[in-house]
Amino acid sequence: MEIPSKYEPNRVEEHWYKYWTKHDFFSSKPDEREPYTIVIPPPNVTGVLHMGHMLNNTIQDVLIRRARLLGKNACWVPGMDHASIATEAKVVAKLKDEGIAKADLSREEFLKHAWDWTDEYGGVILQQLKKLGCSCDWDRTKFTMDDDMSASVIKVFVDLYEKGLVYRGYRMVNWDPEAKTTLSDEEVIYEERQGTLYYLAYQIEGSDEKVTIATTRPETILGDTAVCINPNDERYHHLRGKKVIVPICNRVIPIIEDEYVDIEFGTGCLKVTPAHDENDKNLGDKHNLEVVDIFNEDATLNSYGLHYQGKDRFVVRKEISKELDEKGFLVKTEQHTNKVGTSERTKAVIEPRLSDQWFLKMENLSKPAIEGVLKTGDVKLYPKKFENTYRHWMENIRDWNISRQLWWGQQIPAYYYGDAKDDVVVAESREEAIKKASSKNPEIQDSDLRQDADVLDTWFSSWLWPISVFGGILEPENDEVNYYYPTSDLVTGPDILFFWVARMIIAGYEYRGKRPFENVYLTGLVRDKQRRKMSKQLGNSPDALKLIENFGADGVRVGLLLSSAAGNDLMFDEALCQQGKNFANKIWNAFRLIKGWEIADLPQPESAKIGIEWYTAKFNQTLAEIEDHFSKYRISDALMAIYKLVWDDFCSWLLEIVKPAYQQPIDRFTYDAVIHLFEQNLKILHPFMPFLSEEVWQHITDRTPEQALIVSKWPKQDEVNSSLITDFDFAAEVISGVRTIRKEKNIPQKEALELSVLNSENGSGQMDVIITKLTNLSKIETIDATLDGALSFRVKSNEYFIPISGAIDIEAEIKKITEELNYTKGFLQSVQKKLSNDRFVNNAPEKVVDIEKKKAADAEAKIETLQKSLASLE
């Protein structure tokens, strides 16, 4: 194949992705190999690729491709989440645009529209993941509303109900008035907001006296059914047994006593609105108060709102405060900061609402999940710091509200057959429900059954994901689940550590008796350079596909990972994608350089032999570092180690060492060794840069599909020759010293120099051939005294001299060295002054004092060298 002059990511990416899928390289079936399994955190079916997905799925692909190279049976299961609230909102909006209201449709008609929408727009994100290079087993793609997935959810609900863990209760719930559904506690985000505290006067019945109460929500006075005072509050003893009149609605309500009231807060009088506050509801239950719900499901006021009926709660807040003021009920107002609950999905302000809902008892269910993570380490969280967050959530767990007032999702399999509270059966099918109901009442017919209209929380389906994708709920002993479960690694964001990760761990222990995964790698959030979270509203989230188009998928993958440290937020900068693109070009150009060499049957130069031995040692050293980074989920650090190895050690050093002279051939032995080392590089690069690495791999020689890089073997760890690496590091400093002199003195590279060395530490001499070649020396000799008339530099305790030829301006050189000498003497004086200060030496940390001492020693050594250089020139 002809090698293009430039690396063309767009052409390359399309070609190799098709090749990989054509040859089923992503496919996995149970066999005798060790399985390595990842289940994708299923993105919402409504979703499009954003930076968070890009990071998360790049990391998963790195892990899965490496596992494949390690010879494991790598299985990455893709899929999507039906996202009840988000999808239903999209479908309702689409219908509205077409002039159709959800209320005018039957459930079946609405669901047909929802499936049509899903088929047309859903799943875009999975196609986009292919552009990123994700090597998922696409034949295994699952959707949480697939028939078998829904059947698993229903089966689990019935099982938990029969175990007495699922129950129905009339509770105060978090109501999202925009989505018109309940939310679990975890789906409510609390924000500090500046509001107003309204002080209102309630008249005592049959008296001119008034009591003042304080509220942040004056509209809810229309639902007040009591005023509460603390029995120990002497200010209000005279009000015992009396009643007050609620302003505007003129409802007469009792004054009750309860120690719940904080005497110090506000006026010490509390308005009680049982329908709209959880604490008020508890007071109402205790004192048998009437419950007056003033809101419709969209948070407009109902008939209890009187002349405000049909108006939004926030509109009413403004208008009623004005009316209260005009009628003399508003005593005063104060600025007040309080925490307001908002919906994670719609951002609407949550309304506490009394409602019949289904709940799952969590206390006992969660115990194995607490033990598995925090006590036995059966499941490990990376970074470990997230264990504290996990502990806080799990040890303060509340029953899970699992019902949602929506139509898109798994309909709750509860069937009502009468008016009594207990006239309900729970069953996996309607037929089964009839049988169960008939055993309680033989006259029950199909037409008597009413299925609960609510659906289950979306998380109630995704908590089963690692089990249900392998059919492990419906067929607990099938070959797939027994082979792939428990899965290996989970990569996700810390924002869903409780929503999803903790619940999957709970479900894993409950339904398989085993952890769902061994390791959880929690990525950071993607932020912009100003540390702001990326969002559509701020307009700071780049178009993911545009980035791939501009920088290539590999460039973007490298850019994302270079800016990402485990568990810390990622400061994304497009410049890092450019760095990734530059890296791809560097590798491509290195390959073109090698392929451009003419090969001949010549003896191998000693410099090339030592260079190859050194790079082999360096490769093995870096491979050990990479393995260590992977074991600790430091994926970015692993990439950085590879980046430095390939860019610095391979391209900048090795290729320079082995490169033949201009228009001269290279010996075959060296060429073959360099190609082998290049192939080793490509193997460790492949998980990070799959497209580029496969393209170069296939250009090196003709290969069969079985010889493709994606299914080759990860390099084996060999012993590291540390002394060779140490010798080379020393030699590199010598080469740098000679090159600096050439650059500063404008001595052309083609002009050969002589190098003399005094002391000869690390003087085994094996690196001399490399130093000679890379700096164009005519000779290297060891001397036992300072060389006059020469430029010099130091490396450790060695002093190196380069005799001066007529090309150097002696006077200018003396002037330059004198200036540097004077500066260094001044610097040394300042350091010595610091070290002669007893307060500094006695109080500063030992490390800091040692650094200053080293600065002084280095300056003294440099002064000595400069003085010798000066003496040799004068």
Side-chain angles (χ1 to χ4, degrees), residues 499-525:
F499 282 126
W500 191 47
V501 179
R503 287 170 177 165
M504 282 191 288
I505 297 170
I506 291 168
Y509 285 120
E510 179 67 15
Y511 285 101
R512 300 294 301 171
K514 292 178 187 172
R515 64 189 180 201
F517 25 71
E518 185 176 354
N519 305 296
V520 181
Y521 176 88
L522 296 152
T523 65
L525 293 172

mmCIF file of all heavy atoms in Angstrom, residues 499-525:
data_model
loop_
_atom_site.group_PDB
_atom_site.id
_atom_site.type_symbol
_atom_site.label_atom_id
_atom_site.label_comp_id
_atom_site.label_asym_id
_atom_site.label_seq_id
_atom_site.Cartn_x
_atom_site.Cartn_y
_atom_site.Cartn_z
ATOM 1 N N PHE A 499 -27.931 7.230 42.708
ATOM 2 C CA PHE A 499 -29.053 6.921 41.807
ATOM 3 C C PHE A 499 -28.923 5.533 41.200
ATOM 4 O O PHE A 499 -29.882 4.788 41.095
ATOM 5 C CB PHE A 499 -29.048 7.875 40.609
ATOM 6 C CG PHE A 499 -29.587 9.227 40.894
ATOM 7 C CD1 PHE A 499 -28.831 10.352 40.600
ATOM 8 C CD2 PHE A 499 -30.836 9.401 41.430
ATOM 9 C CE1 PHE A 499 -29.318 11.622 40.842
ATOM 10 C CE2 PHE A 499 -31.339 10.670 41.670
ATOM 11 C CZ PHE A 499 -30.572 11.780 41.379
ATOM 12 N N TRP A 500 -27.723 5.243 40.724
ATOM 13 C CA TRP A 500 -27.544 4.059 39.881
ATOM 14 C C TRP A 500 -26.558 3.059 40.456
ATOM 15 O O TRP A 500 -26.893 1.890 40.643
ATOM 16 C CB TRP A 500 -27.099 4.505 38.484
ATOM 17 C CG TRP A 500 -27.126 3.426 37.467
ATOM 18 C CD1 TRP A 500 -28.141 2.535 37.237
ATOM 19 C CD2 TRP A 500 -26.097 3.091 36.535
ATOM 20 N NE1 TRP A 500 -27.806 1.683 36.209
ATOM 21 C CE2 TRP A 500 -26.554 2.007 35.768
ATOM 22 C CE3 TRP A 500 -24.833 3.618 36.269
ATOM 23 C CZ2 TRP A 500 -25.795 1.422 34.748
ATOM 24 C CZ3 TRP A 500 -24.076 3.052 35.247
ATOM 25 C CH2 TRP A 500 -24.552 1.963 34.508
ATOM 26 N N VAL A 501 -25.333 3.503 40.789
ATOM 27 C CA VAL A 501 -24.285 2.562 41.201
ATOM 28 C C VAL A 501 -24.690 1.814 42.472
ATOM 29 O O VAL A 501 -24.673 0.585 42.513
ATOM 30 C CB VAL A 501 -22.939 3.291 41.406
ATOM 31 C CG1 VAL A 501 -21.860 2.307 41.850
ATOM 32 C CG2 VAL A 501 -22.506 4.014 40.136
ATOM 33 N N ALA A 502 -25.068 2.557 43.506
ATOM 34 C CA ALA A 502 -25.428 1.925 44.784
ATOM 35 C C ALA A 502 -26.623 0.981 44.600
ATOM 36 O O ALA A 502 -26.649 -0.124 45.153
ATOM 37 C CB ALA A 502 -25.758 2.997 45.817
ATOM 38 N N ARG A 503 -27.585 1.407 43.796
ATOM 39 C CA ARG A 503 -28.781 0.567 43.602
ATOM 40 C C ARG A 503 -28.453 -0.695 42.815
ATOM 41 O O ARG A 503 -29.037 -1.759 43.068
ATOM 42 C CB ARG A 503 -29.877 1.383 42.918
ATOM 43 C CG ARG A 503 -30.510 2.415 43.859
ATOM 44 C CD ARG A 503 -31.396 3.369 43.112
ATOM 45 N NE ARG A 503 -32.068 4.322 44.006
ATOM 46 C CZ ARG A 503 -32.670 5.425 43.586
ATOM 47 N NH1 ARG A 503 -32.661 5.735 42.291
ATOM 48 N NH2 ARG A 503 -33.266 6.235 44.438
ATOM 49 N N MET A 504 -27.527 -0.597 41.857
ATOM 50 C CA MET A 504 -27.104 -1.816 41.146
ATOM 51 C C MET A 504 -26.412 -2.786 42.095
ATOM 52 O O MET A 504 -26.574 -4.007 41.981
ATOM 53 C CB MET A 504 -26.152 -1.468 39.996
ATOM 54 C CG MET A 504 -26.826 -0.930 38.762
ATOM 55 S SD MET A 504 -25.695 -0.836 37.352
ATOM 56 C CE MET A 504 -24.651 0.527 37.820
ATOM 57 N N ILE A 505 -25.623 -2.241 43.023
ATOM 58 C CA ILE A 505 -24.939 -3.105 44.002
ATOM 59 C C ILE A 505 -25.983 -3.795 44.881
ATOM 60 O O ILE A 505 -25.908 -4.998 45.148
ATOM 61 C CB ILE A 505 -23.934 -2.284 44.838
ATOM 62 C CG1 ILE A 505 -22.832 -1.710 43.935
ATOM 63 C CG2 ILE A 505 -23.304 -3.150 45.935
ATOM 64 C CD1 ILE A 505 -21.910 -0.687 44.613
ATOM 65 N N ILE A 506 -27.009 -3.031 45.301
ATOM 66 C CA ILE A 506 -28.112 -3.596 46.105
ATOM 67 C C ILE A 506 -28.791 -4.731 45.336
ATOM 68 O O ILE A 506 -28.983 -5.833 45.854
ATOM 69 C CB ILE A 506 -29.130 -2.494 46.478
ATOM 70 C CG1 ILE A 506 -28.520 -1.503 47.468
ATOM 71 C CG2 ILE A 506 -30.408 -3.102 47.055
ATOM 72 C CD1 ILE A 506 -29.337 -0.228 47.689
ATOM 73 N N ALA A 507 -29.141 -4.455 44.063
ATOM 74 C CA ALA A 507 -29.841 -5.456 43.238
ATOM 75 C C ALA A 507 -28.963 -6.671 42.990
ATOM 76 O O ALA A 507 -29.444 -7.813 42.973
ATOM 77 C CB ALA A 507 -30.270 -4.833 41.907
ATOM 78 N N GLY A 508 -27.648 -6.446 42.800
ATOM 79 C CA GLY A 508 -26.724 -7.554 42.536
ATOM 80 C C GLY A 508 -26.703 -8.553 43.677
ATOM 81 O O GLY A 508 -26.804 -9.769 43.473
ATOM 82 N N TYR A 509 -26.581 -8.027 44.893
ATOM 83 C CA TYR A 509 -26.562 -8.929 46.052
ATOM 84 C C TYR A 509 -27.920 -9.588 46.275
ATOM 85 O O TYR A 509 -27.992 -10.744 46.701
ATOM 86 C CB TYR A 509 -26.121 -8.167 47.309
ATOM 87 C CG TYR A 509 -24.628 -7.871 47.341
ATOM 88 C CD1 TYR A 509 -24.155 -6.557 47.397
ATOM 89 C CD2 TYR A 509 -23.693 -8.903 47.298
ATOM 90 C CE1 TYR A 509 -22.789 -6.281 47.427
ATOM 91 C CE2 TYR A 509 -22.328 -8.638 47.324
ATOM 92 C CZ TYR A 509 -21.879 -7.329 47.386
ATOM 93 O OH TYR A 509 -20.531 -7.065 47.403
ATOM 94 N N GLU A 510 -29.010 -8.857 45.994
ATOM 95 C CA GLU A 510 -30.358 -9.406 46.210
ATOM 96 C C GLU A 510 -30.702 -10.491 45.196
ATOM 97 O O GLU A 510 -31.294 -11.512 45.536
ATOM 98 C CB GLU A 510 -31.390 -8.272 46.149
ATOM 99 C CG GLU A 510 -32.835 -8.721 46.338
ATOM 100 C CD GLU A 510 -33.148 -9.251 47.737
ATOM 101 O OE1 GLU A 510 -32.360 -9.032 48.674
ATOM 102 O OE2 GLU A 510 -34.208 -9.903 47.889
ATOM 103 N N TYR A 511 -30.320 -10.277 43.917
ATOM 104 C CA TYR A 511 -30.787 -11.200 42.870
ATOM 105 C C TYR A 511 -29.733 -12.168 42.329
ATOM 106 O O TYR A 511 -30.071 -13.111 41.630
ATOM 107 C CB TYR A 511 -31.442 -10.414 41.726
ATOM 108 C CG TYR A 511 -32.814 -9.954 42.167
ATOM 109 C CD1 TYR A 511 -33.037 -8.653 42.591
ATOM 110 C CD2 TYR A 511 -33.859 -10.865 42.259
ATOM 111 C CE1 TYR A 511 -34.272 -8.258 43.069
ATOM 112 C CE2 TYR A 511 -35.101 -10.483 42.737
ATOM 113 C CZ TYR A 511 -35.300 -9.182 43.144
ATOM 114 O OH TYR A 511 -36.530 -8.816 43.622
ATOM 115 N N ARG A 512 -28.448 -11.929 42.651
ATOM 116 C CA ARG A 512 -27.433 -12.900 42.236
ATOM 117 C C ARG A 512 -26.604 -13.381 43.429
ATOM 118 O O ARG A 512 -25.812 -14.311 43.278
ATOM 119 C CB ARG A 512 -26.473 -12.285 41.193
ATOM 120 C CG ARG A 512 -27.086 -11.813 39.922
ATOM 121 C CD ARG A 512 -27.656 -12.921 39.074
ATOM 122 N NE ARG A 512 -26.683 -13.927 38.673
ATOM 123 C CZ ARG A 512 -27.009 -15.070 38.070
ATOM 124 N NH1 ARG A 512 -28.280 -15.335 37.797
ATOM 125 N NH2 ARG A 512 -26.086 -15.945 37.733
ATOM 126 N N GLY A 513 -26.753 -12.688 44.566
ATOM 127 C CA GLY A 513 -25.924 -13.038 45.718
ATOM 128 C C GLY A 513 -24.475 -12.653 45.502
ATOM 129 O O GLY A 513 -23.580 -13.113 46.207
ATOM 130 N N LYS A 514 -24.231 -11.830 44.475
ATOM 131 C CA LYS A 514 -22.859 -11.422 44.130
ATOM 132 C C LYS A 514 -22.841 -9.952 43.737
ATOM 133 O O LYS A 514 -23.846 -9.419 43.269
ATOM 134 C CB LYS A 514 -22.356 -12.215 42.916
ATOM 135 C CG LYS A 514 -22.131 -13.688 43.146
ATOM 136 C CD LYS A 514 -21.691 -14.318 41.821
ATOM 137 C CE LYS A 514 -21.599 -15.834 41.932
ATOM 138 N NZ LYS A 514 -21.367 -16.450 40.607
ATOM 139 N N ARG A 515 -21.671 -9.349 43.860
ATOM 140 C CA ARG A 515 -21.487 -7.963 43.404
ATOM 141 C C ARG A 515 -21.772 -7.874 41.904
ATOM 142 O O ARG A 515 -21.550 -8.854 41.163
ATOM 143 C CB ARG A 515 -20.044 -7.519 43.659
ATOM 144 C CG ARG A 515 -19.054 -8.339 42.846
ATOM 145 C CD ARG A 515 -17.623 -8.074 43.234
ATOM 146 N NE ARG A 515 -16.708 -8.896 42.421
ATOM 147 C CZ ARG A 515 -15.480 -9.185 42.758
ATOM 148 N NH1 ARG A 515 -14.991 -8.753 43.906
ATOM 149 N NH2 ARG A 515 -14.710 -9.909 41.960
ATOM 150 N N PRO A 516 -22.235 -6.726 41.404
ATOM 151 C CA PRO A 516 -22.487 -6.601 39.962
ATOM 152 C C PRO A 516 -21.217 -6.307 39.163
ATOM 153 O O PRO A 516 -21.164 -6.533 37.964
ATOM 154 C CB PRO A 516 -23.456 -5.424 39.865
ATOM 155 C CG PRO A 516 -23.194 -4.620 41.101
ATOM 156 C CD PRO A 516 -22.719 -5.557 42.158
ATOM 157 N N PHE A 517 -20.184 -5.772 39.829
ATOM 158 C CA PHE A 517 -18.918 -5.434 39.183
ATOM 159 C C PHE A 517 -17.860 -5.378 40.274
ATOM 160 O O PHE A 517 -18.169 -5.214 41.453
ATOM 161 C CB PHE A 517 -18.983 -4.083 38.453
ATOM 162 C CG PHE A 517 -20.025 -3.150 38.991
ATOM 163 C CD1 PHE A 517 -19.866 -2.540 40.231
ATOM 164 C CD2 PHE A 517 -21.200 -2.904 38.286
ATOM 165 C CE1 PHE A 517 -20.839 -1.707 40.755
ATOM 166 C CE2 PHE A 517 -22.191 -2.080 38.808
ATOM 167 C CZ PHE A 517 -22.008 -1.476 40.051
ATOM 168 N N GLU A 518 -16.598 -5.518 39.862
ATOM 169 C CA GLU A 518 -15.512 -5.531 40.848
ATOM 170 C C GLU A 518 -15.016 -4.114 41.157
ATOM 171 O O GLU A 518 -14.744 -3.778 42.293
ATOM 172 C CB GLU A 518 -14.349 -6.370 40.315
ATOM 173 C CG GLU A 518 -13.225 -6.528 41.325
ATOM 174 C CD GLU A 518 -12.115 -7.434 40.824
ATOM 175 O OE1 GLU A 518 -12.251 -8.037 39.739
ATOM 176 O OE2 GLU A 518 -11.095 -7.525 41.535
ATOM 177 N N ASN A 519 -14.891 -3.302 40.106
ATOM 178 C CA ASN A 519 -14.315 -1.965 40.263
ATOM 179 C C ASN A 519 -15.244 -0.905 39.676
ATOM 180 O O ASN A 519 -15.819 -1.118 38.605
ATOM 181 C CB ASN A 519 -12.969 -1.879 39.542
ATOM 182 C CG ASN A 519 -12.011 -2.957 39.999
ATOM 183 O OD1 ASN A 519 -11.608 -2.996 41.150
ATOM 184 N ND2 ASN A 519 -11.669 -3.876 39.104
ATOM 185 N N VAL A 520 -15.346 0.221 40.371
ATOM 186 C CA VAL A 520 -16.118 1.358 39.858
ATOM 187 C C VAL A 520 -15.157 2.524 39.681
ATOM 188 O O VAL A 520 -14.568 2.999 40.654
ATOM 189 C CB VAL A 520 -17.258 1.759 40.829
ATOM 190 C CG1 VAL A 520 -18.056 2.933 40.264
ATOM 191 C CG2 VAL A 520 -18.163 0.575 41.116
ATOM 192 N N TYR A 521 -14.966 2.923 38.435
ATOM 193 C CA TYR A 521 -14.081 4.066 38.144
ATOM 194 C C TYR A 521 -14.974 5.292 37.961
ATOM 195 O O TYR A 521 -15.786 5.340 37.040
ATOM 196 C CB TYR A 521 -13.268 3.784 36.881
ATOM 197 C CG TYR A 521 -12.398 4.933 36.428
ATOM 198 C CD1 TYR A 521 -11.103 5.088 36.912
ATOM 199 C CD2 TYR A 521 -12.866 5.885 35.535
ATOM 200 C CE1 TYR A 521 -10.309 6.150 36.508
ATOM 201 C CE2 TYR A 521 -12.078 6.953 35.127
ATOM 202 C CZ TYR A 521 -10.798 7.076 35.615
ATOM 203 O OH TYR A 521 -10.019 8.122 35.216
ATOM 204 N N LEU A 522 -14.833 6.258 38.864
ATOM 205 C CA LEU A 522 -15.687 7.455 38.828
ATOM 206 C C LEU A 522 -14.921 8.609 38.191
ATOM 207 O O LEU A 522 -13.928 9.083 38.733
ATOM 208 C CB LEU A 522 -16.145 7.805 40.245
ATOM 209 C CG LEU A 522 -17.041 6.708 40.859
ATOM 210 C CD1 LEU A 522 -16.929 6.693 42.356
ATOM 211 C CD2 LEU A 522 -18.474 6.866 40.418
ATOM 212 N N THR A 523 -15.371 9.014 37.029
ATOM 213 C CA THR A 523 -14.707 10.100 36.308
ATOM 214 C C THR A 523 -15.092 11.439 36.925
ATOM 215 O O THR A 523 -16.066 11.526 37.669
ATOM 216 C CB THR A 523 -15.131 10.113 34.829
ATOM 217 O OG1 THR A 523 -16.537 10.424 34.777
ATOM 218 C CG2 THR A 523 -14.910 8.774 34.165
ATOM 219 N N GLY A 524 -14.342 12.465 36.591
ATOM 220 C CA GLY A 524 -14.725 13.806 37.024
ATOM 221 C C GLY A 524 -15.743 14.396 36.061
ATOM 222 O O GLY A 524 -16.069 13.798 35.034
ATOM 223 N N LEU A 525 -16.242 15.565 36.398
ATOM 224 C CA LEU A 525 -17.135 16.294 35.498
ATOM 225 C C LEU A 525 -16.293 17.085 34.509
ATOM 226 O O LEU A 525 -15.198 17.540 34.839
ATOM 227 C CB LEU A 525 -18.020 17.259 36.287
ATOM 228 C CG LEU A 525 -19.050 16.623 37.229
ATOM 229 C CD1 LEU A 525 -19.717 17.705 38.072
ATOM 230 C CD2 LEU A 525 -20.104 15.850 36.446
#
